Amino acid sequence: MIIAIDGPAASGKSTVARAVARRLGFRYLDTGAMYRAVAAEAIRLGRPLEDATAMTGLAETIRVSFAYDSGDPVPYGVFVGSRDVTREIRTPAVDAAVSLVARIPGVRRAMVPLQREFAGGTDTVVEGRDIGSVVFPDAAVKVFLTASPEERARRRVGDRAAAGHEAAVAAVATDIARRDTIDSTREASPLVAAAGARHIDTTGASVDEVVDRIEALVREAVA
Ligand code: CDP
């Protein structure tokens, strides 16, 4: 079974998707981490982010992998080849670059088959922007997570502070709004709530509450 979790930046997708995977014993795939890895590599190599040919070539050759502790479906690390990019892909520079790279159709064409292959018929929680609409349109459970812009900005400031990057709420709110605009208005696989997706507003909700609701959707789907 595939559980597709989509939603705008910092809507709580990662936290919720990880908790669902751990609770249900499903695999977990963070597709945003894959686009972030391409953007991080483009920055490191000094390649122009808006060059579709260069970005597509990079996406076609990059080897993104996840590293796991035994027994945990949630990876502790993200690698490009043998390079640990776990921290690098969450920096403000990558936040600012990733949507420019992810809107390039060739980049998406390179990433989507890898995402389908990762799930490969096994029970998997997959999070992103186009999972219920494009990558797994037949997912048994589709969720579209939202939260108020203020709450999303506050959460992201908290995430970044925990990783040692101090940021002002206003600046983060601007970055999130900019990214949501690019993600929602691009031609290739824009961020949309998929047909049949259940909307869950996570503003003021605890992670457990949201996970309970998704678990109930899973029970409904198998009933
Ligand atoms: O964690 P956050 O919500 O900030 O973003 P993310 O899930 O790590 O995704 C980072 C960026 O990758 C998004 O803003 C999109 O531009 C892109 N993305 C995408 O285009 N399609 C996906 N399935 C996942 C992410």
Side-chain angles (χ1 to χ4, degrees):
M1 171 189 291
I2 299 289
I3 304 176
I5 302 186
D6 290 300
S11 53
K13 293 183 306 295
S14 291
T15 308
V16 165
R18 287 162 190 236
V20 169
R22 284 184 170 134
R23 194 189 285 185
L24 301 180
F26 278 34
R27 301 187 76 196
Y28 163 73
L29 177 61
D30 174 3
T31 61
M34 300 171 72
Y35 293 101
R36 286 175 176 275
V38 177
E41 193 66 358
I43 293 170
R44 190 178 74 86
L45 297 171
R47 305 258 172 89
L49 303 173
E50 315 239 6
D51 180 338
T53 307
M55 291 305 106
T56 299
L58 190 55
E60 284 170 348
T61 50
I62 198 170
R63 286 183 302 116
V64 183
S65 62
F66 298 97
Y68 299 88
D69 281 326
S70 70
D72 190 359
V74 175
Y76 66 81
V78 183
F79 283 72
V80 169
S82 59
R83 224 163 59 79
D84 184 346
V85 297
T86 311
R87 292 170 69 85
E88 191 179 325
I89 63 170
R90 311 282 169 199
T91 54
V94 172
D95 283 344
V98 61
S99 290
L100 298 175
V101 173
R103 74 178 169 187
I104 297 170
V107 171
R108 310 198 69 80
R109 275 198 299 275
M111 291 293 129
V112 168
L114 302 176
Q115 296 162 9
R116 292 187 178 136
E117 193 184 313
F118 180 96
T122 53
D123 290 334
T124 309
V125 182
V126 189
E127 61 144 313
R129 299 292 185 289
D130 59 341
I131 307 307
S133 56
V134 172
V135 185
F136 291 107
D138 297 328
V141 173
K142 298 181 187 183
V143 175
F144 193 78
L145 285 190
T146 56
S148 72
E150 299 75 26
E151 177 130 348
R152 295 199 279 134
R154 273 197 306 274
R155 285 180 187 160
R156 187 45 46 95
V157 168
D159 296 342
R160 292 296 178 259
H165 298 286
E166 296 306 326
V169 176
V172 170
T174 304
D175 173 72
I176 286 176
R178 179 181 147 277
R179 206 138 56 82
D180 285 348
T181 302
I182 301 174
D183 292 346
S184 308
T185 58
R186 70 185 177 211
E187 273 182 32
S189 307
L191 165 67
V192 283
R198 299 289 277 268
H199 290 244
I200 301 178
D201 186 340
T202 68
T203 312
S206 73
V207 175
D208 273 348
E209 280 163 1
V210 179
V211 175
D212 288 346
R213 287 186 63 184
I214 296 174
E215 195 178 4
L217 295 176
V218 171
R219 268 192 251 108
E220 244 174 60
V222 295

